[in-house]
Amino acid sequence: GQQLNQSPQSMFIQEGEDVSMNCTSSSIFNTWLWYKQDPGEGPVLLIALYKAGELTSNGRLTAQFGITRKDSFLNISASIPSDVGIYFCAGQRFTGTASKLTFGTGTRLQVTL
Amino acid sequence: GAVVSQHPSWVICKSGTSVKIECRSLDFQATTMFWYRQFPKQSLMLMATSNEGSKATYEQGVEKDKFLINHASLTLSTLTVTSAHPEDSSFYICSARGASGRGVQFFGPGTRLTVL
């Protein structure tokens, strides 16, 4: 099935640094979601975006719904060791009960002290 | 956020046996449940979508007779891997979506299946 392109694929950063990652699609989505997955766990919802241009924060996380509706961005400020994990974007064209998520390829984040 | 549980969290079985995985929405009614499969260092791949009381819709390439899905109530869906073989070993994750909540899916913690 289709997957969204996420960039970067992986990144090593130092504690305290800011992190940026993005997700692009060749088609339009009406909802963008960002999830974080820890090893051996299921994804946990971080932020949900419902409107083009929307900018939403959740603590140190900020995500934006691209104006073209074909991309989304996630920023993490002042990273800490527990930010380690894989971040997935997901797009949804909500068409009722038949709608489903299309996932990105993931960004693996590692934070060094 | 809403809570979704899975049971068991891990299972090891012999080749040829069947394994059932349960997925429950604990604090909301899940009108739609999804089953995903995830291989190491890869993204989640949707296997099937099920709505309560109706047959599951399988993604292309997923054998419906191999992966039996039942969504008998608004809080429970089960995935049965029939006649499991080593290539079925994977991390299986369910998610659930309620009628409200703007279509957001909440995921279970996953089940690690190892077929010997």
Side-chain angles (χ1 to χ4, degrees), chain A:
Chain A
Q2 179 194 6
Q3 281 191 325
L4 306 177
N5 293 317
Q6 266 185 259
S7 178
Q9 186 175 9
S10 64
M11 52 197 315
F12 289 80
I13 61 167
Q14 287 196 325
E15 184 178 7
E17 288 185 349
D18 297 343
V19 175
S20 292
M21 61 189 78
N22 67 73
C23 188
T24 59
S25 169
S26 58
S27 53
I28 289 171
F29 288 101
N30 294 316
T31 301
W32 282 95
L33 304 167
W34 284 91
Y35 290 89
K36 178 179 182 248
Q37 185 178 29
D38 291 329
E41 300 287 335
V44 173
L45 180 67
L46 299 174
I47 293 179
L49 302 160
Y50 302 104
K51 188 177 177 182
E54 179 181 354
L55 187 71
T56 298
S57 293
N58 178 8
R60 294 179 295 105
L61 278 61
T62 301
Q64 184 162 24
F65 191 140
I67 196 72
T68 65
R69 294 198 283 162
K70 292 183 179 182
D71 55 10
S72 180
F73 307 87
L74 177 69
N75 295 312
I76 305 173
S77 62
S79 58
I80 59 178
S82 62
D83 290 334
V84 166
I86 303 177
Y87 292 80
F88 289 104
C89 64
Q92 180 168 259
R93 301 180 193 90
F94 196 73
T95 55
T97 56
S99 69
K100 52 191 178 184
L101 294 179
T102 300
F103 275 89
T105 48
T107 294
R108 184 179 298 269
L109 177 64
Q110 300 198 46
V111 180
T112 56
L113 298 174

Side-chain angles (χ1 to χ4, degrees), chain B:
Chain B
V3 180
V4 177
S5 70
Q6 270 184 253
H7 178 80
S9 56
W10 60 270
V11 56
I12 301 173
C13 69
K14 293 182 178 180
S15 185
T17 60
S18 294
V19 174
K20 180 185 283 188
I21 303 170
E22 290 187 351
C23 177
R24 294 181 185 272
S25 57
L26 298 185
D27 54 359
F28 69 103
Q29 293 187 325
T31 50
T32 308
M33 285 186 165
F34 306 82
W35 287 95
Y36 293 82
R37 185 173 180 176
Q38 187 178 34
F39 291 106
K41 298 188 177 182
Q42 293 189 21
S43 188
L44 285 77
M45 298 303 295
L46 180 64
M47 299 173 66
T49 302
S50 72
N51 293 299
E52 184 261 340
S54 57
K55 289 184 179 180
T57 301
Y58 290 80
E59 295 298 299
Q60 191 173 10
V62 178
E63 300 175 58
K64 62 180 180 181
D65 295 330
K66 172 86 174 161
F67 300 99
L68 300 179
I69 291 171
N70 184 280
H71 190 170
S73 77
L74 285 173
T75 59
L76 173 64
S77 176
T78 59
L79 167 68
T80 301
V81 183
T82 62
S83 187
H85 291 284
E87 57 266 29
D88 298 324
S89 298
S90 190
F91 192 51
Y92 292 88
I93 312 173
C94 74
S95 73
R97 183 177 70 203
S100 60
R102 305 181 76 174
V104 174
Q105 287 184 32
F106 296 95
F107 285 82
T111 297
R112 172 74 57 192
L113 170 63
T114 302
V115 185
L116 302 177

